[in-house]
Amino acid sequence: MPATEALLKQQIQGGAFSPLYVLYGEESYLTAHYAGQLSKKAADDDTFGDFNRLSLDGQECSWETIADAVEALPLMAERKSVCVRELDVTSAAVYDRLMALLSALPAHCVLILWYAHPLDSRKNNKWKTFLTAAEKVGTCVNFERRTAAELTRMLCSGAARRNCKLSPAAANKMVEQCGNDLSLLLNELEKLCAVANEQEITPQLVELVVTRQLSARVYDLSKAIFKGDYRTAYSILHRLFASREEPVAILAVLSGAFVDLYRVKTAVSAGVAATDLASTFGYRGREFVLRNASTDSQRWDIVRLRQCLDLLAQADTRMKGSRTAPRVILEQTVASLIVLAKGGSL
């Protein structure tokens, strides 16, 4: 089993390092952050620290370069660190030699392998075997997306460290507008704190300052469609076109909103709580989507939702395979969706 983030923090703070670290997961900000922390702390000699910290790109350098770096002795220090980004352990040039190295890692080196994405060991047996072996000799941490509650606490505490007050309501507003990407949220928090100038950050300030991601703007479009509001829906759609958003991208996010509705509707029909879908379908950090979909789905029946999904699938096919302008296809699709939302038939 992968280790916890708490254990990783404890090792970094206490200086009791494993010879090997494998960091991966959906939360790419944290994998990069902890890889940097480990690289720095494991080779903490102030005089020769720069000589004893080596960062390599696993997609560009050879295995020989990595192996030589690991075997080389540190300069006037007890320990060195070798930090390797995105090393493909399944490649023929790496796998056997890396597995052999795991059984004989030198005591003077901390090897850090980090990835800005999950490692799906279920689809590749070499990844599974490697991770199993790595967990026996080192520390492996899978950084999953934070839940909405965790993101709210992190944002509030982050604002406090910057001498600003951020209420949970304002933090939730940030997540709704930015999504659950921690790197993006922290960038927006820096911007908000600079504007607030050590004052309280209100939901109104978040609305004014924080950049709304495409998903948030298309969510507004989907809400207008759900209500059967032609005027608002086309006003939002035209603003999206004016900001040069691609119709294919808009359609993809809009389709996702209807998939959310359908998942919640079918779950509730089967006696399953909407919130139970969070872990199964990757809604960590976006639990508000399920809550909103649970409310919106009450006005829909399964048959009409399936008709909507069929319409969206047909629109996707037409955009990719017909001569009709994608913008026209999207406008026609929105009109048809509103007809269904208002209880009409096509």
Side-chain angles (χ1 to χ4, degrees), residues 54 56-70 82 84 87-88 91 93-94 97:
L54 186 62
L56 300 171
D57 189 329
Q59 295 181 326
E60 295 183 357
C61 67
S62 66
W63 168 253
E64 286 72 20
T65 299
I66 297 171
D68 289 345
V70 171
V82 177
V84 186
L87 176 66
D88 182 8
S91 71
V94 172
R97 284 177 280 186

Side-chain angles (χ1 to χ4, degrees), residues 11-12 15-18 21 35-55 73-83 107-112:
Q11 290 181 352
I12 293 174
F17 297 101
S18 298
Y21 289 89
Q37 288 285 303
L38 283 167
S39 179
K40 180 179 179 181
K41 294 292 185 179
D44 59 355
D45 183 86
D46 292 335
T47 305
F48 298 101
D50 290 341
F51 294 97
N52 292 321
R53 289 191 295 269
L54 186 62
S55 294
L73 293 171
L75 178 62
M76 303 292 288
E78 176 185 352
R79 192 172 49 237
K80 65 182 291 187
S81 64
V82 177
C83 189
H108 62 259
C109 180
V110 173
L111 175 60
I112 306 153

